[in-house]
Structures are given as C-alpha cells and as structure tokens.
C-alpha cells in the first residue's frame, strides 16, 4: 500500500479480518468468538449460501464482494478497511472453524513482545490429523517458501496470522483470483525481504468433523505457489544462502 517504512508499533488497536466464501455453517460462531476480543471485519466473497444471513445479527462490519474474487482479494480488501479504521495490526483467520479465536490473545502477546513482527499461528501439535493430501502439499509449501524467505517457517499455509500495519502498508502483491492462495505464501517471502521479523506461536490444529472440504486445491494451488517461489528463487540466482538458512535454523 506504500513503500515508506513506519516505526514499529505495539498493537494496541487490533482488528480481525475473516474472509468467507460459502461458510454459513460456521462463520457466525467464528466471527462472534473473535468479536469477543477485537473488532471484526468479515469479507463475504460472493457467497451463494446463507453466509450473509448468519452475519446479519452480529455487531461487526460486513463487506461483500458481488462475485467470488478469491481469498487474496478478500483479505486485501479487509486489510485496507482495517487500516482505514486505524488498526495497528490485523488478525486474519479463516471462517471454517479451523482456527480458535480464543487463541487471538496469544498472537497479540507475541506481537507486543516484538513490535513490528508478523506472527504466524503454526498448527502444532495435531497437524498430522490433516487429510494426507493436504498434509503433503503443506509440507512441500513449507520447504519452498522457507527457502525463498531464507529462514525456516513452520506452517506457511496457516491463515491465522497477525500482520503489523507497517508491513501491510509496504507490500504490493497480486491479489487477483489466480493468486487466491498464493498471496499468503508470497507475503511471507516479501516480509522477509523487507526485514520484517516472522515469529510463530504454536496452536492446536483443529479439524472439526463437520468442516466443509477446503477451497484449497492441493495440486493446482500448490503448483501455483511453487511457480511463484521458483520465479523468486531464479531472480536471486537460486538463493543458496537462503536454502542453507532454511535448513539449518529452527523457526523462531
């Protein structure tokens, strides 16, 4: 949103952003639990189910895309609105019930310990309970993204994060439909390039029995992520130092 770095702030004003596409079965519970901690913005990404109806009675901001634009666009729209509301940091979490809003204070605590850091909620322990294909895709993404970022990052595909406002003002990445699930991977690499610390908070992996199938397509979306990472690595001469650091160091 801007290339001008700003001083790191302790996140005293935090807003949660929840992208939602056909999440009528779970979005109200996730949003209401998150609203118990901080103001909430739900971006309804052109849902054709009863997502909008479930949000009507809740005290939160709902932004609606007239058609499905993808997760990246919905996140970016929510981030922009949160910054307009004066947010020092933005929490992102998914609407499908796989992230426990009660964990939000732990991300805030980590951000206060290191102002200006991007805080990533890593699904450990319990990640092995994920469906096998998704688990394999996530591990592949972790390897490639850690290499391009030059540091080992646990659970790069977790959508439960705290983004400092100063980082969001500086990044400029594609958010079109084809980059729907690429954005969250690429922003980690961009954060590392900009010198933003990336820290992890371990959370329990939740896979509710009634959760709908993931919108993430393990083959197509993983290949898009790998293609993005490969382009960045080629631009840096394959970044051998980054590979070494990603393999040699534990995630902070």
């Amino acid at each position: 949103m801007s290339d001008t770095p700003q001083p790191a702030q302790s996140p005293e004003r935090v807003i949660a952003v929840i992208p939602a596409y056909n999440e009528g079965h779970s979005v109200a519970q996730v949003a209401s639990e998150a609203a118990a901690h901080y103001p909430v913005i739900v971006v309804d990404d052109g849902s054709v189910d009863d997502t909008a109806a479930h949000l009507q009675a809740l005290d939160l901001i709902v932004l609606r895309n007239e058609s499905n634009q993808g997760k990246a666009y919905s996140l970016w729209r929510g981030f922009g609105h949160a910054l307009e509301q004066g947010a020092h940091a933005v929490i992102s979490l998914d609407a499908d019930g796989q992230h426990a809003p009660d964990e939000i204070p732990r991300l805030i605590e980590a951000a206060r310990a290191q102002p200006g850091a991007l805080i990533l909620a890593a699904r450990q322990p319990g990640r092995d309970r994920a469906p096998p294909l998704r688990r394999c895709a996530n591990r592949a993404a972790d390897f490639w993204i850690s290499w391009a970022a030059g540091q080992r990052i646990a659970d790069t595909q977790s959508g439960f994060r705290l983004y400092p406002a100063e980082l969001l003002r500086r990044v400029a990445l594609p958010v079109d439909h084809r980059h729907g699930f690429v954005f969250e991977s690429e922003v980690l690499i961009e954060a590392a390039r900009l010198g933003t610390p990336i820290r992890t908070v371990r959370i329990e992996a939740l896979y509710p029995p009634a959760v709908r199938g993931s919108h993430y397509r393990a083959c197509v979306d993983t290949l898009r992520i790998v293609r993005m990472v490969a382009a960045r690595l080629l631009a840096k001469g394959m970044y051998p130092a980054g590979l070494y650091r990603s393999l040699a160091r534990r995630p902070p």
Side-chain angles (χ1 to χ4, degrees):
M1 296 180 181
S2 169
D3 291 329
T4 304
Q6 302 291 325
Q9 293 177 303
S10 179
E12 298 308 317
R13 177 159 174 75
V14 178
I15 297 177
V17 169
I18 304 174
Y21 176 58
N22 292 342
E23 303 286 10
H25 62 287
S26 57
V27 65
Q29 180 175 347
V30 174
S32 60
E33 290 179 3
H37 300 284
Y38 293 98
V40 170
I41 299 169
V42 175
V43 184
D44 180 356
D45 190 20
S47 297
V48 294
D49 68 348
D50 56 355
T51 292
H54 282 282
L55 295 171
Q56 287 179 353
L58 301 181
D59 184 17
L60 45 79
I61 296 172
V62 178
L63 306 177
R64 178 171 172 81
N65 300 332
E66 290 304 315
S67 60
N68 178 249
Q69 299 296 314
K71 189 177 185 182
Y73 178 88
S74 297
L75 281 170
W76 197 244
R77 185 180 180 191
F79 292 166
H81 196 78
L83 294 181
E84 290 174 0
Q85 300 297 310
H88 298 153
V90 181
I91 294 278
S92 67
L93 66 162
D94 294 343
D96 60 3
Q98 293 192 49
H99 303 145
D102 285 347
E103 301 273 19
I104 288 176
R106 297 185 58 216
L107 275 66
I108 302 297
E109 181 181 1
R112 286 177 176 155
Q114 186 164 8
L118 190 164
I119 310 299
L120 180 64
R123 293 165 290 185
Q124 301 169 333
R127 197 177 180 191
D128 289 343
R129 295 199 300 270
L133 187 58
R134 191 188 307 182
R135 186 166 66 241
C136 180
N138 286 348
R139 286 176 176 169
D142 287 352
F143 171 78
W144 285 93
I145 294 163
S146 295
W147 180 355
Q151 59 185 280
R152 190 180 301 182
I153 303 174
D155 200 2
T156 59
Q157 300 309 291
S158 172
F160 192 8
R161 305 176 177 187
L162 180 147
Y163 293 93
E166 55 268 29
L167 172 64
L168 295 178
R169 292 190 184 99
R170 297 179 69 192
V171 297
L173 299 173
V175 294
D176 58 273
H177 213 295
R178 289 179 61 84
H179 289 83
F181 288 99
V182 176
F183 171 80
E184 288 176 296
S185 299
E186 192 166 15
V187 76
L188 294 173
I189 301 170
E190 187 68 1
R193 185 187 73 81
L194 293 170
T196 299
I198 301 172
R199 299 292 180 261
T200 57
V201 172
R202 291 165 61 92
I203 64 168
E204 182 74 19
L206 301 178
Y207 297 99
V211 71
R212 56 109 180 108
S214 174
H215 296 308
Y216 183 92
R217 296 164 296 176
C219 293
V220 173
D221 290 317
T222 299
L223 285 174
R224 286 177 173 172
I225 291 169
V226 170
R227 183 169 58 187
M228 175 274 295
V229 174
R232 284 189 170 251
L233 289 174
L234 287 170
K236 298 183 71 171
M238 294 307 292
Y239 197 22
L243 175 61
Y244 173 78
R245 289 198 295 267
S246 70
L247 295 174
R249 300 179 182 178
R250 291 185 175 275

